[in-house]
Amino acid sequence: MAASGGAWEAVIGLEIHAQLATESKIFCGAPTSFGDAPNLNIDPVTLGLPGALPVLNRRAVELAIRLGLAVGSRIDRASRFARKHYFYPDLPKGYQISQFEEPICVGGQITCDVDGVEKTFGLTRIHLEEDAGKNVHDPKTGRSYIDLNRAGTPLVEIVGEPVLRSPADAVAYMKAVHEIVVALGVSDGNMEQGNFRCDANVSVRRPGAPFGTRTEIKNVNSFRFVGRALEYEIARQIAVLEEGGAVVQETRGWDDDAGVTRSQRGKEEAHDYRYFPDPDLMVVHVDEALIDAIRAELPELPRARRLRFEHSYGLSAYDADVLTQSPARASYFEAVAGGVKDPKLAANWIMGELLATLNREGKDLEASPVPAAALAELIALIEGGTISSKMAKDCFSAMVADGVAPAAWVKQHGGQITDEGAIQAAVEAVLDQSPAQVAEFLSGKEKVIGYLVGQVMRQTRGKANPQQVNAVLRASLEARR
Amino acid sequence: MEIDIRHVARLARLELDAAEAARLGAQLGQILDYVAQLDGLDTADVPPTTHVLPVATPWREDAVTARIDREEVLAAAPEHDGEAFAVPKVV
Amino acid sequence: MNTFATAGELLAALDAGEVTSVALTEAALARARAGAELGAWLHLAEEQALTRAADVDRRRAAGEPVGALAGVPIGVKDQIVTRGIPTTAGSKMLAGWVPPYDATVVERLHAADAIVVGKLNQDEFAMGSSNERSAFGPVRNPWDPSRVPGGSSGGSAAAVAAGHVPLALGTDTGGSIRQPASFCGVVGLKPTYGRVSRYGAIAFASSLDQIGPFGRTVADVARLMGVLAGPDDHDSTALRSPVPDYLAGLGGDLAGLRVGVPEEYFVAGIDPEVEATVRAALAQLEAQGATLVPVSLPHTPYAVATYYILATAEASSNLARYDGVRFGHRTAERVSDVADLYAKSRAEGFGDEVKRRIILGTYALSSGYYDAYYLKAQKVRTLLRRDFEAAFAACDVLATPVSPVTAFRLGERVDDPLQMYLADIFTIPSSLAGNTSVSVPCGFDGAGLPVGLQLIGPPLEEGRVLRVAHAYEQATAWHRRHPGEEGA
């Protein structure tokens, strides 16, 4: 580890909060939409009005189970909600409804690559809870303003075991979790909007020694910040210990501009959350049928798909990575690859022409003007020698512009000219019209052959097989020497 | 029974003056002494009753069904700026 | 119409065109104003009530379908939120608060075309047994204004007993419907936990709170209960089971009925006149064909301690939302920060009894004490439930006194919270068990104060306890006596 001069080991555990992709809040029918003016997405439950009561959102439960199944958690058939008490203006009821002793998902693991080495990190639990609202301080008025649009938004808290040993571990782990929740559709994972964020618990120790005193870095919402904050905090703790001091157990915040973590002690009293089972909600019963149904719909996770693409299609790690960036892209590739001989050629076309076109036109793959079947047909025509790669590009442009089918395009434009006699005739015609270039070539300036090839291709309206043209040209030029 | 009434009042966010704290402390001590009779019951093998209802919590479908008018809500707020609730600086 | 006409009689007169709802509503409002010295009402919703009454009259006259309580005036305990009508729960904390939504039961009253004439006084946040804990002054007992009406639904019981309205809603957490019904000589039903939606009932102790009906007759209570009961998408704890027709279920005799008499409810501490009156009622049930069965509820002596831990713990949590941010009282004093704002606002907004319970409940949940208090009390709650399960294996209903005493004098007990709590000993156990219980008038003591008989049934047996109460009522005349009348 860069930060440690001597033998220190970091012990890191992350608690990741991911906002669930639901339309309505976890305990009421107010909307979860982001970016609205303050306090529009509210109802009696969100506001914690006297008399209001929570009713659990089915979708939130299903998404938590979906995530739990995907990461190998045990799904608890009977979980429970508890009240966690603290006073804060963005917490309307004076308590947060969360799961405490009986979470919905227990255990599980996350596998990821850290600097090329595969590592598996254990999870403690995944539980459901509600988010708080937002305080904004206005220095002009000296007041804080409270917006409860976000209050009551469903979250999963993914609690990792303290088994991460470096900032690199932590970043790779957090990215892997992010990739999974997004791939599952459990969360949109939008980090700028705070829909995916983490608290990092970190301590240092001599290897083999008991855990040291930890600090908690709160609310970090970028991969880069997590890495930097942990680097800083580990170095800080080591420096404290090496100077003979003691690490104070506390909450710290990351100041990215200054590049330091700062103590938030004094901003909070010692907490006594007074958890107790929420009497307004009963046991959350999950039956086998629901679990089976959710399991049956689990998609392949991105990491598994990447590995499969490498092995089954013989793609490079880079290509597999690019092609599995989204489920849509991966299934598009598989559809194309299934219709051609060489998956690598399919990969090249998708990563080249197709993505460039979509990028240029600002379109998603879902709205691609070229369906997978059409691209497969085009590639098959190349593989069969019916058209050249050059012609294929023209054909592709026509497919994009007019939606023309490759077969129709070939019918209209004719296929590739591979007839030796036809090519020979075209070559002779060009050479007859280009005495100066022929002389140049024969004087040793062979570069000019490029011009001559171009002329032959023009003569054949691009349809002559380029390799054949090249070979015939050379032979004919030699014959004129 | 003695309890740290100041600590509990702080947890509950209730400001108590000295007389109130003393009076409440004495009354609570008396009540807790009365409650101490429960210690005489052996409940080692008794499960707690969290709910008298032996039913699973019902679920609602994920649909936007409720929203209330911000004006009506803010009208009841002690302090607001027309959009948000206002409080002294949150430290 | 007669001041003490029942809801059933009023409906018949309305249907016959002998009277209008507007006239009944105006008469109810006039009686409420004339009886203001009782302190039963916190707010009269004259405009809304008369508008609704006129609408019901028009629809009835036009032959359009109308609801089960069409045109009948009703009062609603201030613990229950009413859109556009101030709702305070008897607390300075909520003085002036106008809720932006209706409780489910209020929606159901509107759907049944009942006329909500106003909001009824109560102990602050339903915490009290005498109605002396209202921030807006006590309620007085119509039978003797120097005495309390009971609590916490004291305003509801008093307004019905005094004839201001034939019906009212109350809430019962540890006896807050039954005890004031008993003290005021009216009928009050605590439904099974979960039978009536709690959505919009300002929470005191969520695992115990239930809304229930008050009336002067069992039939009226059954009629109102039919409107209140049923599932609700806004309350996870509202039971899905179908709702029987409670009114149609009344009638029949008591032959073969096994009435359990728990020995723990006839012990030292009970007023001898109360005991004698309740024993006479038991004899009456026997005379009507019921069999008295001695039963034991051995954990009864632990109920009050159990209740005051569970109820206060839940209350400390439920009352955390009163922070002076979104609604409710905020201190006018200078504050240093938000924590100070909370502490001062809450200190000013809450009354003594509420503070006492918040402190007790916070303590019971705090770190290091949870197992000893809250968890322990939850376990004893299991034992209390088992007591009832065993008893109901041997009998159909239990018959007990509602309270060990009749209405006491204002100020008499206010300085001794523990003694006040102990007076709830007979109503608390069935609250903890989630049973249903009704209080029905069963006589008077020597001072002319009403005594109530409590009939307790197993969960969801509202129909059964109401049927027994009705049979008893029909064989006796206690419900025909009213305060201020000759012979009363």
Side-chain angles (χ1 to χ4, degrees):
Chain A
M1 185 188 324
S4 77
W8 288 99
E9 178 182 61
V11 175
I12 303 164
L14 299 190
E15 293 166 7
I16 294 174
H17 288 92
Q19 178 177 326
L20 295 173
T22 60
E23 298 293 318
S24 63
K25 293 184 177 179
I26 184 167
F27 296 119
C28 64
T32 53
S33 47
F34 180 85
D36 293 326
N39 294 306
L40 290 181
N41 302 332
I42 55 172
D43 75 327
V45 179
T46 303
L47 288 163
L49 291 189
L53 294 171
V55 182
L56 182 57
N57 183 333
R58 169 196 294 275
R59 185 74 186 144
V61 177
E62 289 173 348
L63 291 174
I65 294 172
R66 190 172 166 87
L67 175 58
L69 288 173
V71 299
S73 301
R74 176 169 63 77
I75 309 302
D76 209 319
R77 303 306 192 262
S79 66
R80 202 187 284 278
F81 284 96
R83 296 183 180 179
K84 175 183 181 178
H85 299 84
Y86 62 96
F87 285 93
Y88 210 67
D90 66 10
L91 186 69
K93 300 184 294 297
Y95 58 85
Q96 178 194 29
I97 305 178
S98 180
Q99 294 193 303
F100 181 49
E101 286 179 332
E102 297 156 275
I104 188 160
C105 304
V106 180
Q109 65 279 317
I110 301 293
T111 300
C112 53
D113 295 316
V114 185
D115 301 329
V117 179
E118 183 180 292
K119 292 187 181 178
T120 294
F121 301 110
L123 298 177
T124 309
R125 59 191 274 165
I126 300 170
H127 68 251
L128 282 161
E129 63 184 26
E130 59 177 342
D131 206 348
K134 196 171 72 175
N135 297 318
V136 181
H137 184 64
D138 182 348
K140 285 203 291 280
T141 62
R143 313 301 279 176
S144 289
Y145 295 90
I146 295 137
D147 171 12
L148 296 175
N149 281 348
R150 193 178 201 111
T153 299
L155 302 177
V156 277
E157 181 172 336
I158 304 152
V159 182
E161 293 281 300
V163 290
L164 307 167
R165 290 290 175 265
S166 68
D169 278 1
V171 172
Y173 166 87
M174 189 174 172
K175 283 182 173 170
V177 172
H178 184 264
E179 183 177 80
I180 290 169
V181 298
V182 171
L184 291 172
V186 162
S187 173
D188 71 6
N190 189 317
M191 297 174 82
E192 284 95 65
Q193 292 178 6
N195 298 351
F196 188 89
R197 56 191 195 258
C198 89
D199 302 334
N201 289 291
V202 55
S203 61
V204 298
R205 63 172 176 185
R206 299 290 186 189
F211 288 161
T213 304
R214 64 188 167 87
T215 58
E216 182 175 26
I217 309 168
K218 278 281 196 194
N219 260 327
V220 194
N221 68 340
S222 112
F223 299 125
R224 196 173 62 84
F225 289 2
V226 166
R228 290 190 66 198
L230 286 170
E231 294 282 4
Y232 175 86
E233 183 60 18
I234 290 164
R236 187 191 70 84
Q237 290 188 12
I238 289 171
V240 167
L241 293 172
E242 288 189 341
E243 284 163 21
V247 173
V248 179
Q249 180 164 350
E250 62 182 354
T251 299
R252 299 180 71 86
W254 172 245
D255 178 341
D256 194 62
D257 293 332
V260 298
T261 64
R262 290 185 209 281
S263 174
Q264 294 181 337
R265 207 151 42 100
K267 292 196 175 188
E268 52 182 289
E269 288 181 50
H271 280 306
D272 182 346
Y273 290 127
R274 286 161 284 138
Y275 281 102
F276 79 105
D278 191 334
D280 289 331
L281 294 158
M282 288 157 296
V283 170
V284 181
H285 276 295
V286 176
D287 62 21
E288 299 306 315
L290 178 64
I291 291 176
D292 289 346
I294 294 172
R295 185 181 279 120
E297 284 181 4
L298 277 184
E300 184 179 31
L301 289 182
R303 181 185 158 79
R305 184 179 286 136
R306 262 196 313 274
L307 295 176
R308 183 167 62 78
F309 276 26
E310 287 180 40
H311 296 136
S312 308
Y313 296 109
L315 301 182
S316 68
Y318 175 80
D319 288 0
D321 190 46
V322 172
L323 290 171
T324 54
Q325 289 294 307
S326 73
R329 192 180 288 182
S331 53
Y332 188 97
F333 166 76
E334 297 212 75
V336 176
V340 304
K341 291 197 190 80
D342 181 8
K344 180 74 188 145
L345 194 54
N348 289 345
W349 270 89
I350 292 168
M351 293 165 64
E353 294 300 310
L354 181 71
L355 290 185
T357 301
L358 293 175
N359 198 27
R360 193 170 55 241
E361 305 201 348
K363 281 185 178 157
D364 286 337
L365 193 55
E366 286 83 346
S368 169
V370 179
L375 183 57
E377 189 185 337
L378 179 68
I379 295 171
L381 290 173
I382 303 170
E383 287 176 329
T386 308
I387 55 174
S388 66
S389 294
K390 161 105 187 41
M391 290 167 72
K393 284 183 183 174
D394 293 341
C395 177
F396 185 84
S397 298
M399 290 161 73
V400 170
D402 308 321
V404 65
W409 188 86
V410 169
K411 196 167 180 189
Q412 190 191 340
H413 293 84
Q416 185 167 226
I417 298 167
T418 50
D419 178 75
E420 200 75 27
I423 292 173
Q424 185 73 56
V427 165
E428 291 304 333
V430 166
L431 293 182
D432 289 346
Q433 290 158 19
S434 317
Q437 283 79 10
V438 172
E440 221 175 298
F441 181 87
L442 293 178
S443 73
K445 293 180 181 166
E446 296 201 358
K447 255 185 352 197
V448 75
I449 195 163
Y451 166 81
L452 294 169
V453 169
Q455 290 303 305
V456 176
M457 292 309 286
R458 176 183 284 184
Q459 185 94 14
T460 60
R461 282 183 297 175
K463 284 185 273 179
N465 181 308
Q467 285 81 34
Q468 281 177 288
V469 169
N470 215 307
V472 172
L473 246 183
R474 281 188 179 279
S476 298
L477 282 165
E478 290 306 325
R480 293 191 183 208
R481 195 178 284 277
Chain B
M1 180 96 200
E2 286 279 320
I3 65 176
D4 182 352
I5 197 93
R6 290 263 163 221
H7 169 70
V8 179
R10 204 158 39 240
L11 271 182
R13 295 287 188 278
L14 274 177
E15 188 175 84
L16 301 180
D17 62 35
E20 236 179 337
R23 188 164 43 81
L24 276 174
Q27 288 171 339
L28 291 177
Q30 203 190 347
I31 294 166
L32 289 172
D33 286 341
Y34 174 75
V35 168
Q37 64 173 295
L38 299 184
D39 298 344
L41 281 174
D42 179 6
T43 52
D45 299 322
V46 181
T49 291
T50 298
H51 286 107
V52 289
L53 306 174
V55 292
T57 211
W59 296 342
R60 40 172 285 274
E61 296 306 318
D62 179 28
V64 174
T65 54
R67 216 188 308 224
I68 48 175
D69 183 48
R70 186 172 69 184
E71 306 304 310
E72 197 175 349
V73 168
L74 290 178
E79 184 187 351
H80 65 84
D81 71 349
E83 284 194 324
F85 305 99
V87 292
K89 185 179 180 186
V90 176
V91 180
Chain C
M1 294 291 299
N2 174 359
T3 297
F4 297 104
T6 65
E9 289 162 355
L10 296 180
L11 283 165
L14 285 161
D15 285 338
E18 293 161 10
V19 69
T20 63
S21 178
V22 166
L24 291 180
T25 303
E26 281 174 341
L29 290 163
R31 286 194 295 266
R33 286 200 187 91
E37 76 283 354
L38 279 183
W41 298 89
L42 290 177
H43 182 88
L44 291 174
E46 176 168 359
E47 196 183 319
Q48 292 100 320
L50 289 172
T51 303
R52 278 188 189 275
D55 179 60
V56 172
D57 284 339
R58 182 191 57 72
R59 284 190 286 131
R60 186 178 251 127
E64 292 173 27
V66 291
L69 293 171
V72 177
I74 185 169
V76 174
K77 186 181 184 181
D78 211 30
Q79 190 81 2
I80 298 167
V81 304
T82 41
R83 181 169 190 184
I85 302 176
T87 299
T88 66
S91 181
K92 180 183 172 189
M93 181 57 89
L94 284 176
W97 183 53
V98 182
Y101 78 110
D102 270 326
T104 295
V105 290
V106 173
E107 286 184 350
R108 289 193 179 159
L109 290 180
H110 290 155
D113 292 323
I115 310 300
V116 175
V117 297
K119 303 299 291 292
L120 292 157
N121 203 351
Q122 57 166 105
D123 285 301
E124 183 178 3
F125 286 108
M127 298 177 187
S129 310
S130 68
N131 222 117
E132 295 165 288
R133 297 295 184 185
S134 168
F136 307 104
V139 180
R140 292 169 184 278
N141 193 313
W143 295 89
D144 177 352
S146 72
R147 293 177 184 271
V148 303
S152 66
S153 310
S156 303
V160 171
H164 299 174
V165 279
L167 300 172
L169 298 190
T171 66
D172 190 314
T173 305
S176 283
I177 288 175
R178 292 159 287 164
Q179 187 251 22
S182 171
F183 278 19
C184 291
V186 296
V187 182
L189 174 71
K190 183 203 91 78
T192 306
Y193 182 79
R195 180 69 291 186
V196 177
S197 168
R198 294 185 296 118
Y199 188 71
I202 297 177
F204 158 19
S206 311
S207 78
L208 295 155
D209 296 342
Q210 268 294 285
I211 293 171
F214 280 92
R216 286 186 296 270
T217 65
V218 175
D220 273 7
V221 163
R223 191 188 296 273
L224 177 52
M225 184 60 191
V227 168
L228 303 178
D232 179 16
D233 290 343
H234 290 297
D235 178 4
S236 303
T237 63
L239 291 164
R240 279 357 192 205
S241 0
V243 178
D245 185 335
Y246 300 113
L247 187 59
L250 302 181
D253 61 24
L254 301 182
L257 184 81
R258 297 167 303 161
V259 176
V261 182
E263 53 178 291
E264 292 82 4
Y265 285 60
F266 297 87
V267 289
I270 184 170
D271 178 310
E273 283 191 82
V274 170
E275 175 163 7
T277 307
V278 172
R279 291 227 184 257
L282 295 177
Q284 171 63 35
L285 292 172
E286 206 171 14
Q288 290 179 245
T291 310
L292 300 186
V293 184
V295 296
S296 175
L297 300 166
H299 294 95
T300 302
Y302 300 101
V304 172
T306 302
Y307 173 83
Y308 276 94
I309 292 300
L310 296 178
T312 59
E314 292 180 18
S316 73
S317 171
N318 286 326
L319 271 56
R321 70 189 60 195
Y322 303 97
D323 55 10
V325 175
R326 299 165 314 289
F327 50 80
H329 178 76
R330 178 187 285 197
T331 185
E333 282 188 47
R334 278 186 88 83
V335 295
S336 52
D337 56 18
V338 170
D340 194 30
L341 175 82
Y342 288 174
K344 285 197 164 69
S345 299
R346 289 163 64 79
E348 293 170 7
F350 291 138
D352 246 18
E353 182 60 28
V354 173
K355 288 182 196 173
R356 187 154 41 237
R357 297 199 194 192
I358 289 175
I359 296 276
L360 176 57
T362 301
Y363 178 74
L365 290 176
S366 65
S367 178
Y369 297 100
Y370 179 85
D371 287 4
Y373 290 109
Y374 192 77
L375 187 63
K376 180 77 181 184
Q378 282 190 315
K379 290 177 166 196
V380 181
R381 188 174 189 182
T382 304
L383 297 175
L384 282 151
R385 286 174 58 204
R386 290 178 183 168
D387 278 1
F388 280 96
E389 281 164 20
F392 284 124
C395 64
D396 303 307
V397 297
L398 296 161
T400 78
V402 174
S403 166
V405 295
T406 53
F408 43 89
R409 293 191 186 282
L410 265 81
E412 195 177 298
R413 299 185 170 212
V414 77
D415 292 325
D416 190 345
L418 184 57
Q419 281 313 309
M420 189 76 101
Y421 298 171
L422 288 171
D424 297 334
I425 178 71
F426 298 151
T427 48
I428 279 174
S430 90
S431 293
L432 287 168
N435 295 320
T436 181
S437 332
V438 67
S439 173
V440 62
C442 72
F444 293 83
D445 69 3
L449 298 168
V451 176
L453 170 69
Q454 178 173 229
L455 296 163
I456 305 171
L460 291 176
E461 293 295 348
E462 282 78 10
R464 187 190 298 173
V465 297
L466 288 171
R467 199 159 56 242
V468 177
H470 181 71
Y472 172 81
E473 177 193 78
Q474 294 303 301
T476 57
W478 309 118
H479 64 289
R480 296 207 188 86
R481 283 168 68 172
H482 303 296
E485 283 190 333
E486 203 121 334

